[in-house]
Amino acid sequence: MSRKKYSTKLFYKYYLDWIHLYKENAIRPVTLNKYYLVQRTLKEIAPDLHMNELDRKSYQNLLNIYALTHEKTTTLDFHHHLKASLFDAVDDGIIKMDPTRRAIVKGTATKKKRPKFLNLYELQTLLRSLKLGSELNWDWFILLVAKTGLRFAEALALTPEDFDYEKQCLIINKSWNYKEKTGHFQPTKNPSSNRTVMVDWQIMQQFKQMIENKDQKKPIFFEEEQRIYNSTLNQRLASYCKKAGIPPISIHGLRHTHASLLLYEGVSVASVAKRLGHSNTTTTQETYIHIIQELENKDNDKILHHLSQL
């Protein structure tokens, strides 16, 4: 019986071929670029690693090298990108076993990060400082993100026809590619991101008055030929936070704030996941695990109190 020969191809070359085969034209350009970044890094730190040399030890060594200069969360992301390709390599008979099994993810000390979200009092303070006139401006954009939890690109893509006044909701079915020089509409991050988001009656009426004479199919916050920078709006938001004496957060931080406050109010994880456009509740649970654990502790107190009454 002849012994099976496994691939002797260089790992970084296999990974590049895998990206071409499975990822090109299947995911958004910004996501695809992350895979290419991982491939370039792989070539840099393991230029001589062949597929037939991949085992738990060589793979762990690869992760350890990467972890020397990256935080644990970044190393984990690097690991997940590689892991997907190696699963396929095992299935296709290119390598004998899964080298990522029981891999230990390490990393450098985590830097102190800015707060990702505000508490209710801080958010109320921020919103009171906004300059909300009778005409649409970027402060209205900040308010809308705070009240809906929309992604930055989703909020940019809003057009008048996305406002359903009868059902009191926003229809999210596209996003705005602001990262390219010539911005344009593009699909949402994933199929689950196509959704409707309930909004309070007051803000729906306020927007109705401001956008009723605008082109139904064009963005409401800017002209299509205008270049939009995330950093510009983050700076605007940070300046408001500073003046209000609250921790500075980003536009994306408003999305985290929105979700966090809903969870604290007792809204289910499933409902929050659907509102945010997450593909599954696991993403929501992992992102807001600290809040969920805090709520579970409160629930345990309620359970024990109830049991003591029986």
Side-chain angles (χ1 to χ4, degrees):
M1 184 170 145
S2 62
R3 187 175 178 183
K4 186 169 182 179
K5 292 184 179 179
Y6 295 100
S7 173
T8 57
K9 194 170 196 172
L10 287 166
F11 183 18
Y12 77 83
K13 288 187 176 180
Y14 163 77
Y15 188 67
L16 181 60
D17 290 342
W18 180 83
I19 294 171
H20 291 327
L21 183 61
Y22 292 104
K23 297 301 177 182
E24 281 190 354
N25 301 318
I27 55 179
R28 295 170 62 180
V30 64
T31 308
L32 183 63
N33 286 337
K34 291 180 182 178
Y35 281 93
Y36 281 126
L37 176 61
V38 168
Q39 194 273 337
R40 290 193 297 272
T41 304
L42 183 59
K43 182 179 179 180
E44 182 182 329
I45 64 178
D48 302 317
L49 181 60
H50 293 77
M51 295 297 287
N52 63 323
E53 298 171 331
L54 271 170
D55 54 21
R56 285 188 59 208
K57 185 177 179 180
S58 61
Y59 184 77
Q60 184 65 59
N61 184 58
L62 171 67
L63 279 188
N64 290 350
I65 293 172
Y66 185 84
L68 289 173
T69 54
H70 296 84
E71 292 183 19
K72 187 173 181 177
T73 53
T74 310
T75 306
L76 182 61
D77 190 50
F78 179 74
H79 167 57
H80 283 160
H81 276 79
L82 294 179
K83 190 175 181 180
S85 73
L86 293 174
F87 277 178
D88 286 338
V90 174
D91 289 345
D92 296 338
I94 294 172
I95 56 177
K96 186 177 180 179
M97 56 170 281
D98 173 20
T100 69
R101 188 175 69 88
R102 293 169 60 191
I104 306 299
V105 178
K106 306 173 186 178
T108 59
T110 304
K111 296 176 184 175
K112 188 176 181 181
K113 292 183 172 62
R114 295 194 316 188
K116 282 189 175 181
F117 60 91
L118 304 175
N119 61 37
L120 180 58
Y121 171 76
E122 291 167 339
L123 180 61
Q124 290 172 334
T125 303
L126 169 64
L127 297 185
R128 281 197 298 268
S129 71
L130 298 179
K131 299 176 177 63
L132 303 172
S134 58
E135 293 186 8
L136 215 53
N137 60 15
W138 289 113
D139 286 24
W140 281 106
F141 180 91
I142 292 172
L143 176 66
L144 192 64
V145 171
K147 288 214 170 196
T148 60
L150 295 183
R151 296 181 178 95
F152 180 66
E154 292 172 344
L156 287 179
L158 286 173
T159 63
E161 65 180 6
D162 295 327
F163 287 73
D164 188 330
Y165 301 106
E166 186 177 334
K167 294 182 179 178
Q168 206 172 305
C169 67
L170 298 177
I171 301 165
I172 310 303
N173 54 19
K174 58 189 174 299
S175 64
W176 184 259
N177 187 341
Y178 62 92
K179 295 187 177 181
E180 294 184 14
K181 191 172 183 179
T182 304
H184 55 83
F185 289 114
Q186 64 180 4
T188 53
K189 186 174 183 180
N190 52 57
S192 302
S193 295
N194 293 319
R195 63 200 188 280
T196 57
V197 177
M198 296 293 294
V199 187
D200 65 88
W201 174 85
Q202 183 181 16
I203 197 169
M204 287 297 284
Q205 291 305 308
Q206 289 170 324
F207 269 83
K208 184 177 183 180
Q209 293 174 11
M210 293 185 289
I211 67 176
E212 58 184 354
N213 295 321
K214 289 182 175 286
D215 190 313
Q216 289 295 300
K217 297 185 179 296
K218 291 189 176 182
I220 62 175
F221 288 105
F222 60 96
E223 299 298 328
E224 287 184 277
E225 62 275 10
Q226 184 181 349
R227 186 77 190 271
I228 304 299
Y229 295 95
N230 189 308
S231 57
T232 304
L233 285 176
N234 281 336
Q235 289 169 7
R236 185 188 188 103
L237 178 56
S239 69
Y240 281 137
C241 290
K242 185 177 181 181
K243 289 177 183 176
I246 59 178
I249 61 166
S250 63
I251 295 292
H252 195 70
L254 290 177
R255 175 173 162 86
H256 284 307
T257 297
H258 182 76
S260 301
L261 293 178
L262 290 180
L263 289 170
Y264 277 127
E265 283 296 317
V267 178
S268 71
V269 173
S271 294
V272 172
K274 185 177 180 181
R275 186 171 175 87
L276 294 180
H278 284 165
S279 55
N280 53 62
T281 57
T282 303
T283 303
T284 316
Q285 290 170 329
E286 289 177 349
T287 306
Y288 304 102
I289 184 66
H290 58 293
I291 296 173
I292 293 169
Q293 288 174 340
E294 186 178 331
L295 294 173
E296 284 179 351
N297 291 335
K298 290 182 179 179
D299 286 343
N300 288 336
D301 291 340
K302 292 178 183 177
I303 292 169
L304 292 175
H305 176 73
H306 169 70
L307 293 177
S308 68
Q309 305 299 310
L310 298 179

